[in-house]
Amino acid sequence: RRDNDNDMSRSHEKGFSVVVSWRACDGGAATLPDPCILPALWSTIAPLIRLIRDIFDQARADRRPVISLEFFPTKSEDADRTLLEKTIPALRELHPDFCSVTYGAGGSTREKTLAIVDRIQREQNVTAMAHLTCVNATIEETGEILERTREMGIKNILALRGDPPRGVCEFVRTNGGFEYSYELVRYIRAAGGF
């Protein structure tokens, strides 16, 4: 593993730390460009994002623990900046194997969850996993979420039944949705790519 203050992205691949650096024209560190602007660059970085099951398999073979960090979706733009520009970069120094991002109560933060996972992967080059629940979503809506997830290059999903929305005591299946997490897991597997 090579450490360098100007390294812009790091990922673990087959037990080695892969370092990818970008330099501005003046030799200083540059920020990673948006994948929409440079798809060829993103296609080079995206393969470094690993499946969580492969991370656990490698850790088991190496007889080492897996280190993961979990974040809740933020509630304001200031909190977004703090999380994505300060907190995660600082915690990245711990070399986590992956990060996960939860859903808000009742599935209220679906889009925010995906946006944070996307930015963790693109900007920090750390494997990330999005939570996905059965709460307040039809099968069709879940399919649309999976399509957006795939388009963003997110490969890892934690499928959960989820907690009922605030103020509701018991889980009630959404009309046209899933009742149990195993149904969601089957659907995700059938969709492929995760």
Side-chain angles (χ1 to χ4, degrees):
R1 185 170 81 210
R2 190 180 104 209
D3 292 324
N4 180 332
D5 290 339
N6 292 322
D7 294 341
M8 293 307 296
S9 59
R10 181 174 304 156
S11 179
H12 300 283
E13 182 173 49
K14 298 185 182 178
F16 298 99
S17 187
V18 177
V19 178
V20 182
S21 297
W22 283 267
R23 303 250 181 239
C25 294
D26 63 1
T31 57
L32 289 175
D34 188 296
C36 297
I37 297 170
L38 292 174
L41 178 60
W42 178 237
S43 66
T44 302
I45 296 169
L48 300 177
I49 302 303
R50 301 178 61 200
L51 293 172
I52 302 297
R53 65 177 167 256
D54 295 341
I55 291 170
F56 275 93
D57 287 346
Q58 185 66 52
R60 196 173 302 111
D62 294 344
R63 300 178 58 89
R64 67 169 182 84
V66 170
I67 306 298
S68 67
L69 304 173
E70 183 169 278
F71 302 101
F72 296 93
T74 54
K75 295 183 179 182
S76 71
E77 287 185 26
D78 286 341
D80 285 353
R81 278 190 294 282
T82 299
L83 176 67
L84 295 163
E85 297 172 11
K86 294 180 181 176
T87 304
I88 293 174
L91 290 172
R92 185 171 168 249
E93 296 303 314
L94 299 172
H95 304 286
D97 292 290
F98 69 94
C99 298
S100 68
V101 182
T102 67
Y103 252 28
S108 60
T109 61
R110 283 183 190 102
E111 294 302 323
K112 181 76 102 170
T113 295
L114 294 180
I116 293 170
V117 169
D118 178 52
R119 286 191 63 187
I120 290 170
Q121 291 190 156
R122 283 190 300 112
E123 296 173 11
Q124 300 301 320
N125 202 23
V126 173
T127 297
M129 175 173 59
H131 289 208
L132 181 63
T133 72
C134 302
V135 180
N136 288 338
T138 64
I139 293 171
E140 183 178 323
E141 289 167 334
T142 300
E144 292 168 4
I145 293 165
L146 288 177
E147 187 55 37
R148 281 195 301 283
T149 302
R150 185 179 289 109
E151 289 168 359
M152 293 173 142
I154 299 169
K155 298 178 181 180
N156 297 290
I157 297 173
L158 178 60
L160 305 158
R161 188 205 65 192
D163 296 327
R166 283 201 172 104
V168 178
C169 294
E170 293 185 30
F171 179 84
V172 177
R173 180 181 69 88
T174 298
N175 194 14
F178 299 108
E179 186 167 4
Y180 301 103
S181 60
Y182 79 86
E183 297 168 324
L184 179 56
V185 169
R186 285 181 182 164
Y187 185 80
I188 293 168
R189 283 186 177 154
F194 303 102

